[in-house]
Amino acid sequence: MLSSPVRHYVGGVFDASGDPIPLVDPVNGRSAGEVPSASEELVDRAVGAARDALRGPWATWSPADRAQVLHRIADGIERRFDAFVAAECADTGKPHELAADVDIPRAAANFRNFADLLAGRGEQSWHTPTPDGRGALNYTVRKPLGVVAVVSPWNLPLLLLTWKVAPALATGNTVVAKPSEMTPSTACLLAEVIAEAGLPAGVFNLVHGGGGGAAGQWLTEHPGVDAVAFTGASATGTTIMRAAAARLAPISFELGGKNAGVVFADADLEKAVAGTVRSAFTHSGQVCLCTERLYVERPIFEAFAGRLVEESRKLRGYGPMISAAHRDKVIGHLTRAATDGEVLAGGGVPRFGDERDGGFFVEPTVLTGLAEDHPAVREEIFGPVVHLAPFDTEEEVLGRANAGPYGLAATVWTGDLARAHRVAPALDVGIAWVNTWNLRDLRTPFGGVKASGIGREGGDHSLDFFSEPMNVCVKL
Ligand code: NAD
């Protein structure tokens, strides 16, 4: 929990104005404070402050100056580490070790990573021959896009927000960020850290509130916003793309997924089971990269399913769904799946005999026996649910894994090196893992194909999106 109320941060000033939206603790369903909903006028002021800051002292900061301030922001996150962890856990209900081992360290790493990358960025140049023999020198400079809107979801609130804010600032843009209305607290702490780190007023702004008909829509539709970086549901992406299209603003989208895993009979069974427990049930399945459908080669199907069920039943200390509405959506899928297929493990709401019975928990669930076009196999559930299906040939499983509207991530479990290199690149996804899951190097391209996203984040890919190359040609 935050010691002070959740506030907006506009033009260097904290502000708690706006109708309150109630916050609910997903662990027990109790009231957990409120978040102010920014008015359209405040969103307009935030964009105005960001536009003004583009012409202020920020414009003269060198890449080295910007790298330094990014490191200071990372230092500030690390100094207030415990407060960040507590706020992230209070908003999301996620287990303490998840926030302490992943979310908050990764947020600091996002700033350090882009600060360090800046140091190694050069500019391109070309010598061009001319008829007079003296030639011309072309060189490319990179300029910021301008005011960037960052809109982020509730599942990894600070991690995903900083994954965009850090490269946007690194490349000299100004930012107006809007976190999810369900998880606003760590963004507010970040604004405090940024205020202390010495960024000029208006370079980073934060507004809270909902999406459609509220801060999210007003921000992404604002004519003063030059680019939109968004992570969230694919349907929301469609709406935001339409808004950005009206003024031809560039977009970077990280959207939903229905990630497949493939386990070949030659895989190390125990490693594949342990990896699948992680890939299906981390953060109770509320990570965009989680495996929701797993294809297991027929000779090991029974053995694999048996071990996965055993391990999933042992899971303790898992967190809740973000809200009652999301829990009900997940349970809706499970109820229908129980009628049309088979529930091997879980399938309902757990009973703890303590305050968690008022929260929004769903048991880790293993399903099987559903057709490929069943909603539980085709639609993103975003809960602790994995569907197992047997397969017979490599060609068949590639066809099934590549079907459907999404293409974010996939896992391949095999002991055959040649097969690994054959199958992984043949998957229609942006990210494939072989014999592991969610092993991340922040310099690598991250993103999805089809309905899972547009563009890539990570390393130079982010720095390229948030800056515009310009060519200067000098006749010699
Ligand atoms: P969401 O799309 O409902 O909301 C995301 C953000 O967009 C929130 O801040 C919300 O207020 C805002 N928003 C909603 N409607 C809007 C509108 N009309 N205009 C402007 N802003 C609007 O998504 P969610 O439920 O918060 O997050 C879960 C989804 O995010 C899942 O689909 C998940 O797969 C996806 N996700 C993708 C990645 C990735 O990297 N590909 C990572 C995490 C989550």
Side-chain angles (χ1 to χ4, degrees), residues 37-41 43 47 211 213-223 225:
S37 184
S39 64
E40 195 165 2
E41 186 271 328
V43 171
V47 175
Q217 183 181 336
W218 299 326
L219 179 59
T220 51
E221 286 181 351
H222 200 290
V225 166

Side-chain angles (χ1 to χ4, degrees), residues 265-344:
D266 56 29
D268 179 322
L269 186 91
E270 284 308 312
K271 283 191 180 145
V273 169
T276 302
V277 168
R278 277 186 66 230
S279 78
F281 302 130
T282 294
H283 194 14
S284 291
Q286 298 168 113
V287 179
C288 55
L289 305 167
C290 278
T291 307
E292 292 198 1
R293 51 197 181 111
L294 194 71
Y295 300 98
V296 184
E297 204 168 358
R298 201 174 298 276
I300 61 159
F301 184 81
E302 293 301 328
F304 183 94
R307 286 289 296 118
L308 183 66
V309 164
E310 233 169 66
E311 292 305 312
S312 65
R313 285 191 179 136
K314 284 188 204 159
L315 288 172
R316 299 283 178 274
Y318 53 84
M321 302 293 94
I322 188 66
S323 63
H326 187 46
R327 187 261 325 268
D328 293 347
K329 180 194 134 182
V330 175
I331 291 293
H333 271 293
L334 299 188
T335 307
R336 184 157 173 200
T339 312
D340 301 339
E342 197 184 339
V343 179
L344 297 177

Side-chain angles (χ1 to χ4, degrees), residues 223-258:
V225 166
D226 297 300
V228 182
F230 168 72
T231 297
S234 300
T236 312
T238 302
T239 306
I240 292 179
M241 195 168 177
R242 210 172 277 131
R247 57 188 193 284
L248 298 171
I251 47 149
S252 166
F253 280 176
E254 303 292 354
L255 307 175
K258 184 71 185 178

Side-chain angles (χ1 to χ4, degrees), residues 10 18 29 35 61 81 106 111 119 123 136 138 152 175 218 221 256 276 344 348 396 428 433:
V10 172
V35 51
W61 283 37
F81 189 83
R106 178 50 205 285
F111 285 99
E123 282 161 2
N138 287 277
S152 54
V175 172
W218 299 326
E221 286 181 351
T276 302
L344 297 177
E396 170 210 338
D428 289 341
W433 280 289

Side-chain angles (χ1 to χ4, degrees), residues 31-331:
S31 159
E34 55 196 29
V35 51
S37 184
S39 64
E40 195 165 2
E41 186 271 328
L42 187 69
V43 171
D44 185 53
R45 255 200 291 139
V47 175
R51 286 225 79 75
D52 290 346
L54 280 175
R55 294 185 297 271
W58 179 239
T60 66
W61 283 37
S62 69
D65 296 334
R66 297 199 298 261
Q68 256 183 20
V69 84
L70 294 185
H71 278 301
R72 283 205 298 277
I73 295 169
D75 294 342
I77 294 173
E78 284 160 2
R79 250 194 320 272
R80 299 178 68 179
F81 189 83
D82 293 344
F84 273 103
V85 170
E88 205 70 302
C89 291
D91 277 358
T92 61
K94 67 175 60 177
H96 180 275
E97 64 271 18
L98 198 56
D101 294 347
V102 180
D103 294 75
I104 308 308
R106 178 50 205 285
N110 285 341
F111 285 99
R112 296 210 190 283
N113 175 64
F114 287 109
D116 291 343
L117 276 173
L118 270 186
R121 296 266 285 184
E123 282 161 2
Q124 291 176 307
S125 65
W126 291 269
H127 284 272
T128 310
T130 56
D132 64 6
R134 292 164 67 175
L137 171 65
N138 287 277
Y139 62 92
T140 305
V141 290
R142 283 209 160 256
K143 294 169 141 185
L145 297 175
V147 175
V148 174
V150 170
V151 180
S152 54
W154 48 260
N155 62 331
L156 306 165
L158 189 70
L159 187 162
L160 292 171
L161 186 91
T162 53
W163 185 227
K164 300 176 191 308
V165 170
L169 294 178
T171 39
N173 299 280
T174 61
V175 172
V176 182
K178 195 210 79 71
S180 166
E181 59 276 29
M182 287 186 274
T183 56
S185 302
T186 46
C188 186
L189 281 174
L190 177 71
E192 292 177 13
V193 163
I194 285 180
E196 289 156 13
L199 267 192
V203 172
F204 174 80
N205 306 273
L206 175 69
V207 292
H208 296 287
Q217 183 181 336
W218 299 326
L219 179 59
T220 51
E221 286 181 351
H222 200 290
V225 166
D226 297 300
V228 182
F230 168 72
T231 297
S234 300
T236 312
T238 302
T239 306
I240 292 179
M241 195 168 177
R242 210 172 277 131
R247 57 188 193 284
L248 298 171
I251 47 149
S252 166
F253 280 176
E254 303 292 354
L255 307 175
K258 184 71 185 178
N259 308 308
V262 182
V263 185
F264 287 98
D266 56 29
D268 179 322
L269 186 91
E270 284 308 312
K271 283 191 180 145
V273 169
T276 302
V277 168
R278 277 186 66 230
S279 78
F281 302 130
T282 294
H283 194 14
S284 291
Q286 298 168 113
V287 179
C288 55
L289 305 167
C290 278
T291 307
E292 292 198 1
R293 51 197 181 111
L294 194 71
Y295 300 98
V296 184
E297 204 168 358
R298 201 174 298 276
I300 61 159
F301 184 81
E302 293 301 328
F304 183 94
R307 286 289 296 118
L308 183 66
V309 164
E310 233 169 66
E311 292 305 312
S312 65
R313 285 191 179 136
K314 284 188 204 159
L315 288 172
R316 299 283 178 274
Y318 53 84
M321 302 293 94
I322 188 66
S323 63
H326 187 46
R327 187 261 325 268
D328 293 347
K329 180 194 134 182
V330 175
I331 291 293

